[in-house]
Amino acid sequence: MQLDFAFLSQMADFLTDDKLVAWGIGIAGLEASTMPFQASPMALVARLLLLPEERDHGHTYAVKVIYPNGEETFLCQDEPLNTRHRSPGQPSGANLLVSLTIFYSSAGVYRFQLLLDGHTVKDIPLEVFHVPGPAGHTSLTEASQDADGTRPSTIRT
């Protein structure tokens, strides 16, 4: 299998005909008024291609996050990837959508790695910026918070 594309998005979902739809793609970073924080969920969206000569079973995927301090955590690991050949002699695609709910402990670059059959096929950096706002100032960052304050972030593109 090989990677066709992969990116981070603010939101993504499957349509009824198994097609992907994504909004807010091309995310380069997050701005946070307080540290640490938990941002709104994002999604890692990918399309993987099953080549005609490959077997159509036994493939797995994983998503790993590497924190600015070098610590690594798997968000999912050894998940089966269900694909099947659709047309003889042509690659067949598998759409993948992984929800990312991450606790950001500090500013810096967080790396999301997509692994296919144990090998990294995409490394996506996401930079977190600490941008304190003035006291009493209402900003987009503060306005986007949930009632419990768990979303003090804005997306920077």
Side-chain angles (χ1 to χ4, degrees):
M1 291 197 80
Q2 67 184 33
L3 179 69
D4 188 12
F5 61 78
F7 56 84
L8 298 178
S9 71
Q10 284 179 278
M11 298 185 319
D13 206 349
F14 286 101
L15 299 176
T16 55
D17 57 358
D18 206 29
K19 291 180 184 168
L20 281 171
V21 62
W23 301 271
I25 63 173
I27 299 170
L30 298 175
E31 294 180 353
S33 61
T34 59
M35 298 300 281
F37 75 102
Q38 183 169 357
S40 303
M42 293 184 299
L44 189 150
V45 179
R47 181 166 174 80
L48 304 164
L49 297 177
L50 180 66
L51 301 177
E53 64 277 4
E54 290 184 288
R55 67 187 192 285
D56 58 356
H57 62 281
H59 295 286
T60 61
Y61 71 91
V63 175
K64 177 171 57 174
V65 61
I66 302 172
Y67 296 89
N69 66 4
E71 179 184 331
E72 299 180 359
T73 302
F74 279 95
L75 303 178
C76 61
Q77 191 171 8
D78 296 325
E79 295 289 331
L81 189 58
N82 298 320
T83 57
R84 66 182 190 284
H85 291 286
R86 294 198 167 96
S87 300
Q90 296 296 317
S92 297
N95 293 327
L96 182 64
L97 172 60
V98 179
S99 179
L100 305 174
T101 304
I102 305 293
F103 184 77
Y104 300 91
S105 57
S106 64
V109 177
Y110 292 73
R111 305 189 82 76
F112 295 92
Q113 291 187 340
L114 174 61
L115 292 86
L116 180 60
D117 295 332
H119 304 316
T120 301
V121 294
K122 186 70 174 185
D123 183 83
I124 304 171
L126 178 73
E127 189 164 7
V128 173
F129 302 91
H130 183 210
V131 184
H137 177 72
T138 302
S139 68
L140 178 60
T141 296
E142 294 164 353
S144 69
Q145 292 179 8
D146 285 341
D148 64 359
T150 58
R151 294 185 344 170
S153 66
T154 57
I155 292 183
R156 174 182 166 131
T157 56

